[in-house]
Amino acid sequence: MARMRAVDAAVLILEKEGATQTFGLPGAAINPFYSAMRQHGGIKHVLARHVEAASHMAEGYTRATHGNIGVCVGTSGPAGTDMVTGLYSASADSIPILCITGQAPVAKLHKEDFQAVDITAIAKPVTKWAVTVLEPGQVPGVFQKAFQVMREGRPGPVLIDLPIDVQLSEIEFDPDTYEPLPAHLPAATRKQAEKALTMMTGAQRPLIVAGGGVINADAAELLVELAEVTGVPVVPTLMGWGAIPDDHPLMAGMVGLQTAHRYGNATMLASDFVLGIGNRWANRHTGGVGTYTRGRTFVHIDIEPTQIGRVFAPDFGIVSDARAALEQLVGVAHAWRAEGRLPDRTTWAGACAERKRTLLRRTNFDNVPVKPQRVYQEMNTAFGPDTRYVSTIGLSQIQAAQMLHVYKPRHWINAGQAGPLGWTVPATLGVATAAPDATVVALSGDYDFQFLIEELAVGAQFNIPYIHVVVNNSYLGLIRQSQRGFDMDYCVQLSFDNVNSPEVGGYGVDHVKVVEGLGCKAIRVFDPDSLLPAFEQAKKLIVEHRVPVVVEAFLKRVTNVSMGTELDNVVEFEPLAEAPDDAPTAAAVG
Ligand SMILES: Cc1ncc(C[n+]2csc(CCOP(=O)(O)OP(=O)(O)O)c2C)c(N)n1
């Protein structure tokens, strides 16, 4: 046994749990924790410029790794409240992050002490567990339980709030005998797998919908195996994108109102059975539940029991971790194929593949200012299958999902449900910290980019290289397009005449100057033929300078992006690609 400050025990437990990367910034109430990180040396720290950013960095970090949990750290009061958006984003997308806050001394909590806020109460709805530790002796147990809670069942964030006197109190703690607690994951039974596959084999036009649960469970290979053994095409959700490579013959396209392929929606509407796994029937995926479910039978597999039936009642529900369920399903499918009990799906899979070959959106536009479709076409050419894309919300996210290609799990990292503007820069810094050898490419509209732009200094300081593509339409594009009948276009343009930078032509902020001022590199692109050379140059610059490199494309100011309110009424603003040259990169290649 060893006697140490409770905060030293906390840091040693982080190490034992493998959570060795923190993002944050200090303040009086959390300074003991910083001293413990310094003393023990096993924990790395990246200094954010805004505490909200630290929480998004932690999320990006977790999402790029296989099981390592990102940690964000801040002081009492406003630091905790700043991180609430990050907790919401992580909880909405089922991502574990650990948020550690400092707090006023226990005896002062009810005295309106300086920066004493009830962060536990504030964080409760957006965490799996939020706790203010009042007894120093509980610190080891609280940290131990936090990791168990984050890992078991539906993953999600935990907040631990540490009053400064609790951090400083001495306790007995033996790091040598510390063991992480087991994390229970429910598992499908053979009988359940047999019933699901009986329903699937009885259908004529079945699909598998694969959600983020498949990615979280690191079960993409099993998913592809199930598709291949049964011959059933797969629709990844926005959170599941990458679980099956875009160029796999059984990748049927994404489905939804916005972040979807034309061929994906057409295939969903033609189907008669859906096995959803690790997904939650998000409304941007389903649209109206009536259109989505009509004429279809559903099996829903999810790790969280209360998710089954939340959006609509499936015909059969299974509570299971995605990996455990896929293991059972693959086992049964192999056995049944050997016995000749699986139907031949060639005709149905062929029809899905034909839609994927023919229902392509046009991307090859030569317009100046640039049409956004062309940006994604050139990104497909410049960035290979190992690229990790990061994005949050806006027309850029929507068109990226419609037009980019993703080939691997954890290579499309997107704030799918909460979509907080400002997420992209810090989350990408987290991703690039976790995967320092990967080509990491972020994508933002100009507003998302401006939200937490100061974080680029973190990339410059800590040498976290990545490429940030900014599609600048000088407007809140998505909001303009989704006015939904409200005449809300009131003082919401981002454009203005910048007296210091006439060269940005009324687009407002001179991003190049800002980016360079923060210690990063930037390239400005006005015409479509300069996009590819700019991306190629950016690839060289990140190697040469080891800092974020921004490529800013000046877009046509008003663009319309395909979207709708139901799966069968998505509005297309351009004709289909008719010749291969209309959309040269639309068909995915390996
Ligand atoms: C914190 C926050 N506030 C508001 C919104 C609502 N919102 C979603 S997209 C958007 C506009 C985004 O503009 P930009 O980043 O320039 O992307 P564009 O849609 O123009 O491509 C807004 C205001 C949000 N998602 N997050």
Side-chain angles (χ1 to χ4, degrees):
M1 295 295 273
R3 198 154 179 83
M4 62 183 76
R5 297 175 305 170
V7 80
D8 294 305
V11 163
L12 290 170
I13 291 172
L14 293 185
E15 285 180 32
K16 288 273 178 182
E17 297 279 356
T20 52
Q21 181 66 57
T22 58
F23 304 88
L25 56 130
I30 195 67
N31 284 350
F33 184 83
Y34 273 80
S35 74
M37 284 201 288
R38 182 185 167 135
Q39 192 170 319
H40 299 289
I43 306 275
K44 288 183 275 227
H45 180 257
V46 165
L47 180 76
R49 296 307 197 259
H50 189 304
V51 208
E52 176 184 340
S55 61
H56 300 323
M57 287 175 194
E59 185 183 342
Y61 180 87
T62 299
R63 290 169 71 141
T65 63
H66 300 264
N68 284 0
I69 289 176
V71 182
C72 49
V73 186
T75 190
S76 55
T81 56
D82 274 349
M83 290 193 279
V84 170
T85 302
L87 293 171
Y88 164 43
S89 170
S91 97
D93 281 349
S94 311
I95 305 297
I97 63 172
L98 179 61
C99 179
I100 301 172
T101 49
Q103 182 56 282
V106 173
K108 301 251 179 110
L109 286 179
H110 61 295
K111 291 181 191 275
E112 297 190 11
D113 208 44
F114 178 63
Q115 292 185 336
V117 68
D118 189 353
I119 191 64
T120 296
I122 294 170
K124 269 212 165 101
V126 288
T127 50
K128 281 185 84 177
W129 189 40
V131 57
T132 299
V133 190
L134 301 176
E135 288 295 335
Q138 284 184 304
V139 167
V142 165
F143 274 77
Q144 197 175 22
K145 177 173 162 177
F147 281 95
Q148 183 187 42
V149 168
M150 284 187 284
R151 290 184 178 127
E152 77 180 1
R154 180 181 180 179
V158 164
L159 176 133
I160 302 178
D161 186 39
L162 295 173
I164 188 164
D165 50 339
V166 170
Q167 292 178 58
L168 293 170
S169 297
E170 296 230 324
I171 57 167
E172 294 293 335
F173 177 66
D174 179 6
D176 292 339
T177 56
Y178 178 88
E179 279 301 326
L181 294 171
H184 173 71
L185 300 175
T189 64
R190 179 135 185 132
K191 202 169 165 190
Q192 289 169 329
E194 284 174 351
K195 176 160 176 176
L197 284 184
T198 301
M199 292 170 74
M200 183 193 268
T201 50
Q204 303 297 310
R205 298 175 303 283
L207 289 175
I208 299 167
V209 167
V214 175
I215 309 266
N216 281 347
D218 285 322
E221 279 174 23
L222 283 166
L223 170 80
V224 173
E225 192 176 345
L226 178 67
E228 289 174 351
V229 182
T230 58
V232 172
V234 177
V235 166
T237 68
L238 189 64
M239 294 302 296
W241 198 15
I244 181 166
D246 266 14
D247 61 346
H248 193 289
L250 289 170
M251 190 311 195
M254 285 198 286
V255 168
L257 302 182
Q258 299 176 336
T259 54
H261 300 109
R262 288 184 76 157
Y263 46 91
N265 280 356
T267 284
M268 174 58 74
L269 290 170
S271 70
D272 66 352
F273 170 89
V274 176
L275 179 133
I277 180 155
N279 67 307
R280 53 177 192 83
W281 316 117
N283 61 314
R284 288 209 302 168
H285 165 79
T286 61
V289 169
T291 306
Y292 189 81
T293 56
R294 198 168 304 124
R296 249 154 249 120
T297 306
F298 287 86
V299 173
H300 189 199
I301 305 175
D302 199 89
I303 196 163
E304 165 56 42
T306 61
Q307 289 297 98
I308 312 274
R310 182 183 289 276
V311 177
F312 58 85
D315 298 276
F316 181 46
I318 301 174
V319 178
S320 177
D321 164 59
R323 164 171 285 278
L326 283 164
E327 276 166 357
Q328 284 287 9
L329 290 164
V330 164
V332 175
H334 274 297
W336 286 11
R337 188 167 73 170
E339 295 164 18
R341 287 173 61 186
L342 292 182
D344 180 359
R345 298 296 185 189
T346 320
T347 309
W348 164 239
C352 298
E354 183 61 9
R355 281 186 283 271
K356 188 177 171 190
R357 200 182 62 75
T358 53
L359 289 180
L360 298 177
R361 291 187 173 114
R362 197 175 158 198
T363 57
N364 207 5
F365 295 98
D366 290 332
N367 307 53
V368 180
V370 178
K371 272 202 170 202
Q373 293 90 324
R374 182 69 186 272
V375 178
Y376 306 106
Q377 176 182 311
E378 302 301 340
M379 287 173 76
N380 283 335
T381 306
F383 304 122
D386 290 326
T387 307
R388 291 173 182 255
Y389 289 112
V390 188
S391 181
T392 178
I393 190 80
L395 293 183
S396 50
Q397 174 225 28
I398 294 170
Q399 281 196 311
Q402 294 176 357
M403 286 163 194
L404 290 180
H405 293 305
V406 175
Y407 299 90
K408 295 177 182 175
R410 301 185 190 277
H411 282 53
W412 168 251
I413 295 178
N414 185 214
Q417 171 67 358
L421 287 174
W423 191 83
T424 312
V425 173
T428 312
L429 290 167
V431 170
T433 302
D437 300 324
T439 303
V440 180
V441 177
L443 180 70
S444 289
D446 43 311
Y447 205 21
D448 170 44
F449 187 58
Q450 285 172 20
F451 253 65
L452 286 169
I453 197 169
E454 76 292 334
E455 300 307 311
L456 287 172
V458 177
Q461 178 184 356
F462 289 86
N463 290 116
I464 310 172
Y466 80 92
I467 296 171
H468 205 131
V469 179
V470 178
V471 281
N472 185 355
N473 57 12
S474 198
Y475 202 89
L476 288 59
L478 175 57
I479 302 311
R480 169 158 46 197
Q481 212 189 316
S482 50
Q483 291 192 41
R484 295 184 185 154
F486 299 109
D487 205 4
M488 52 58 69
D489 203 346
Y490 176 66
C491 297
V492 289
Q493 67 276 25
L494 292 166
S495 55
F496 60 93
D497 286 323
N498 184 332
V499 290
N500 296 314
S501 303
E503 61 272 30
V504 301
Y507 274 67
V509 174
D510 184 337
H511 294 122
V512 170
K513 272 190 188 151
V514 179
V515 168
E516 288 180 350
L518 291 165
C520 303
K521 292 278 176 188
I523 307 166
R524 202 177 262 152
V525 180
F526 291 100
D527 74 280
D529 292 337
S530 303
L531 284 164
L532 189 55
F535 295 145
E536 294 301 338
Q537 194 191 343
K539 285 199 266 185
K540 287 193 194 122
L541 287 173
I542 52 169
V543 176
E544 218 172 297
H545 296 283
R546 310 283 308 154
V547 297
V549 175
V550 174
V551 178
E552 178 186 25
F554 283 77
L555 294 188
K556 202 168 169 284
R557 298 268 270 268
V558 180
T559 50
N560 283 313
V561 172
S562 313
M563 59 179 87
T565 55
E566 297 278 342
L567 290 192
D568 59 2
N569 73 6
V570 171
V571 181
E572 300 293 337
F573 295 91
E574 305 287 351
L576 273 177
E578 278 158 14
D581 212 33
D582 288 342
T585 65
V589 287

